[in-house]
Amino acid sequence: MKKRVSDSVVEYIRNKVETGEWPAGQKLPSEPGLAAQLGVGRSTVREAIQELVYAGYVNRIHGVGSFICEKTINYGMNEYMSLTALIQQNGYTANIRHIKLEITRPRKKHMELLGISELEPVYEVQRVFTADDKPIVFELAVYPCNLLPDVHAEDFEASSFKMLEKRGINIRHSNGWVSPKAADSEIAKLLEIPQNSPLLLMESVLCDQNGRAVAYVRDYFTETFKFPLHRIRNSSSGDSLD
Amino acid sequence: MKKRVSDSVVEYIRNKVETGEWPAGQKLPSEPGLAAQLGVGRSTVREAIQELVYAGYVNRIHGVGSFICEKTINYGMNEYMSLTALIQQNGYTANIRHIKLEITRPRKKHMELLGISELEPVYEVQRVFTADDKPIVFELAVYPCNLLPDVHAEDFEASSFKMLEKRGINIRHSNGWVSPKAADSEIAKLLEIPQNSPLLLMESVLCDQNGRAVAYVRDYFTETFKFPLHRIRNSSSGDSLD
DNA sequence: GGAAATTTGTACGTATGTATG
DNA sequence: TCATACATACGTACAAATTTC
C-alpha cells in the first residue's frame, strides 16, 4: 500500500510525541506553519490532524490551535487493528494458542451475514489470544471455503489479515456490535475463568476492498481487557436527550 | 450550531435512503455529478461522503463508486450521542428514572481525571435509563461543583448535554474505555437483574470545546443492549499480527 | 473597548494519480 | 486502449473564534 503524504505528516507528529519532543498538552505549530515546514499543502496538514483528532490523539480549538491530548490513545475501538497489538498496548506480551480449524456447513446466521448458500461450506477457526500467557480473548472466525482454497491451521498462527492479503483479500472495514455476555462452560474453560464470568462480546462482519463480506468474527474479551474508546460528538445529532 | 454545506449533503443522502429512494446497495451518483446536482464543490461532497463512510453508512470503492451499505448504522459507538436516542435506535421507548444527586468530596480518581483538588466538591449523579420501562443502563456521572453552580436533581430529568449547554459548556468529545464487568448487588438491584450478571462498563471523561475535562461518567449496559460498531482499518497500522 | 494579528473552519477549484471495466 | 470514477494533493479565498496590543 503506497503511503500518502498525509500519512507522513501523521507519522511526523506521532514521532514528535513519542520522542518526547512534544509532550502532552504541547501546542502544535499552526497549520500554515506546519505546511511550510514540511513542504506540503495546508489541506494535507488538516487531513492529517483530522485523522489524529478522530483517533483521540490531538485536540483542536478554533482560533487557538491544536494540542497533543493529555492521554494519547494509540489505537481506539473505531480503528480496525491487530488484537495482538491491542494487547501489547494494554502493556502485555501477546501470543496465540489453541488454534482449531474445521470445515462445517454454514449456520443460518453465517449464510445471512456472509451472503452464501447452505451448499457452500465454511471454515470455523477458533483461537485464544494470551497476554503474558494468560488467556484474554477467545475468537471464533467464520470464512467461506471458496474464498480461501487450501488453508491450514498453521495459516492462523499469525496475522489472519496477512494471510488474507496473500490471497488478494484486503480487509478495509468491519460492521458489527458489542454487548456484555456471560462465559459459557466451553469458553470459560478456554479462557481459564469461572463460568458466567462477564465478557465483552464483539461480533463483526469483515469487508474487503470491494465491500464484500469475507468473514464473520466473534471476539470474547475477558475482564482484564480495556478497550480504548474515543468518541466525537456529531454536529448533526442535533436534539439529544441526555 | 450552524449547519455546514457538507452537513446538508449528508442529510440529503440520508433522506434519500430513509424515503427508500436509494435502497441498500444503491450506487450513489458520481462525486462530480452530485456536486453539480446540488450546486456545491466536489470537495464538499467528498467531505460528506467521508463522514458517512466513517459512520458505516456508505461504502466507497476506488474507481467504481460509492454505495449505500447493506446494513446502515444510524449511530455508532464512536459517535457521541444521546443514550435515549441509542435506546430508541435499538427499537425501544426510552425513559429516565431513579435520579439521585448528591454533593461529595472527590475521590482520588475524580481528582486525577477531572484535574481538580480535594477541596473542590463534586456532584455525583445517578440515573437509570429504561427501554420499554425495563432498566437497561445505569449511569454514574461526576461533575465539579464549581462548573455547575446551582443545579438540582430536576436538571437531570432530560438531556445533560442541553443542561451543560445552557451553562456555556459544550461537550465535543470523550475519552475512555469499555470493559466487561459483573453487576454488584447495588447495580443489580437498580437494573432489576441477578447479581453478577454480565454488564458492559463504559467509562468516559467528557471534554468541552476548550479541551477541558468537565465530567467523568460510568455507564453500565445490560445484556439487552447492543452497541453498533463500525471500524475502519487504518492504513498506517501497518504490521498487524492477526 | 476596539482594532489587528493569528489560527482554525469552511468552501471551492484544479491538476494529477490510480483502479476498474 | 480508453473512458469513467474515485483518491490524493495543492492552492486560494473568506468566515469565525481567540488572543494580543
Side-chain angles (χ1 to χ4, degrees):
Chain A
M1 226 179 274
K2 208 179 141 191
K3 196 158 67 175
R4 296 176 297 171
V5 177
S6 70
D7 282 334
S8 311
V9 179
V10 167
E11 230 169 76
Y12 175 85
I13 295 171
R14 292 194 113 116
N15 188 257
K16 287 287 185 187
V17 175
E18 275 155 29
T19 60
E21 199 171 336
W22 293 355
Q26 169 78 42
K27 185 175 183 299
L28 271 64
S30 76
E31 291 173 1
L34 254 182
Q37 265 179 55
L38 304 176
V40 300
R42 186 192 158 195
S43 337
T44 307
V45 170
R46 274 191 70 73
E47 197 185 345
I49 294 182
Q50 179 62 49
E51 212 172 286
L52 290 167
V53 168
Y54 257 108
Y57 205 82
V58 162
N59 185 25
R60 263 200 292 213
I61 304 173
H62 191 162
V64 183
S66 299
F67 304 83
I68 303 296
C69 285
E70 291 302 327
K71 292 255 176 184
T72 54
I73 295 173
N74 287 314
Y75 298 102
M77 188 177 243
N78 33 11
E79 287 167 278
Y80 203 102
M81 66 166 315
S82 148
L83 271 183
T84 45
L86 204 52
I87 290 168
Q88 283 160 3
Q89 187 192 323
N90 272 259
Y92 306 103
T93 305
N95 266 305
I96 301 176
R97 68 161 75 146
H98 175 76
I99 300 167
K100 205 169 128 188
L101 182 147
E102 54 180 338
I103 298 177
T104 67
R105 283 181 50 194
R107 301 179 198 193
K108 204 166 181 181
K109 190 170 190 175
H110 304 159
M111 287 158 54
E112 199 177 302
L113 292 172
L114 297 174
I116 57 174
S117 83
E118 60 179 336
L119 300 172
E120 292 183 69
V122 294
Y123 295 108
E124 281 200 13
V125 185
Q126 291 184 17
R127 297 196 291 179
V128 171
F129 292 79
T130 60
D132 290 352
D133 289 320
K134 200 181 141 198
I136 193 166
V137 183
F138 169 69
E139 183 182 85
L140 177 66
V142 178
Y143 306 88
C145 288
N146 60 4
L147 270 184
L148 304 172
D150 207 42
V151 287
H152 307 90
E154 302 84 55
D155 292 313
F156 293 94
E157 281 167 10
S159 171
S160 44
F161 280 167
K162 284 245 174 70
M163 185 271 293
L164 289 166
E165 255 173 45
K166 273 182 204 154
R167 288 166 169 80
I169 297 167
N170 262 284
I171 301 300
R172 294 285 278 272
H173 68 272
S174 82
N175 276 311
W177 53 88
V178 291
S179 55
K181 177 96 181 158
D184 64 26
S185 61
E186 191 193 349
I187 292 175
K189 202 173 159 191
L190 286 167
L191 291 174
E192 297 168 12
I193 51 173
Q195 201 174 333
N196 292 322
S197 296
L199 296 173
L200 189 153
L201 167 59
M202 181 184 291
E203 292 181 81
S204 340
V205 174
L206 275 47
C207 300
D208 71 358
Q209 64 270 34
N210 301 317
R212 196 178 35 163
V214 295
Y216 166 67
V217 181
R218 295 166 74 98
D219 286 304
Y220 296 86
F221 297 88
T222 67
E223 223 170 335
T224 317
F225 208 82
K226 290 194 174 189
F227 232 123
L229 183 61
H230 177 71
R231 292 188 292 166
I232 291 183
R233 191 173 181 194
N234 195 330
S235 57
S236 61
S237 64
D239 34 6
S240 66
L241 269 168
D242 64 284
Chain B
M1 231 179 270
K2 207 179 142 192
K3 197 158 67 176
R4 295 175 297 171
V5 177
S6 70
D7 282 333
S8 312
V9 178
V10 167
E11 231 168 75
Y12 174 85
I13 295 171
R14 293 193 111 116
N15 188 256
K16 288 286 185 188
V17 175
E18 274 155 29
T19 60
E21 196 170 338
W22 292 355
Q26 169 78 42
K27 185 173 182 302
L28 271 65
S30 78
E31 292 174 1
L34 254 182
Q37 267 179 53
L38 304 176
V40 300
R42 186 188 160 193
S43 338
T44 307
V45 170
R46 275 192 68 73
E47 198 185 343
I49 294 182
Q50 179 62 50
E51 210 173 288
L52 290 166
V53 167
Y54 256 108
Y57 205 82
V58 162
N59 185 25
R60 262 201 295 211
I61 304 174
H62 192 155
V64 182
S66 300
F67 304 83
I68 303 296
C69 285
E70 290 301 326
K71 292 254 174 181
T72 54
I73 294 173
N74 287 314
Y75 297 102
M77 189 180 242
N78 34 9
E79 287 166 278
Y80 204 104
M81 66 166 315
S82 148
L83 271 183
T84 44
L86 205 53
I87 291 167
Q88 282 160 3
Q89 187 192 323
N90 271 260
Y92 305 104
T93 305
N95 265 306
I96 301 176
R97 68 160 76 146
H98 174 77
I99 300 167
K100 204 169 127 188
L101 181 147
E102 55 180 337
I103 299 177
T104 67
R105 284 181 49 195
R107 300 178 199 195
K108 204 165 181 180
K109 190 170 190 174
H110 304 159
M111 287 158 54
E112 199 177 301
L113 291 172
L114 296 174
I116 57 174
S117 82
E118 61 178 336
L119 300 171
E120 292 183 68
V122 294
Y123 296 108
E124 282 200 12
V125 185
Q126 292 184 16
R127 297 196 289 180
V128 171
F129 293 79
T130 60
D132 290 352
D133 288 321
K134 199 181 140 200
I136 192 166
V137 184
F138 169 68
E139 182 181 86
L140 176 65
V142 178
Y143 306 88
C145 288
N146 59 5
L147 270 184
L148 305 172
D150 208 42
V151 288
H152 306 89
E154 302 84 55
D155 293 312
F156 292 95
E157 281 167 10
S159 170
S160 43
F161 280 167
K162 284 245 175 72
M163 186 271 293
L164 288 166
E165 255 173 45
K166 273 181 204 152
R167 289 167 170 80
I169 296 168
N170 262 285
I171 301 300
R172 294 284 277 273
H173 69 272
S174 83
N175 276 310
W177 53 88
V178 291
S179 55
K181 177 98 182 159
D184 64 27
S185 61
E186 192 193 349
I187 292 175
K189 201 173 160 190
L190 286 168
L191 291 174
E192 297 168 12
I193 52 174
Q195 201 173 333
N196 292 323
S197 296
L199 297 172
L200 190 153
L201 166 58
M202 181 184 292
E203 292 182 81
S204 340
V205 175
L206 276 47
C207 300
D208 70 359
Q209 64 271 34
N210 301 315
R212 195 178 35 165
V214 296
Y216 167 67
V217 181
R218 295 167 74 98
D219 286 304
Y220 296 85
F221 297 87
T222 68
E223 223 170 336
T224 318
F225 208 83
K226 289 193 176 193
F227 232 124
L229 183 61
H230 177 71
R231 293 189 291 167
I232 291 183
R233 191 174 180 194
N234 195 330
S235 57
S236 61
S237 63
D239 33 7
S240 66
L241 269 167
D242 63 285

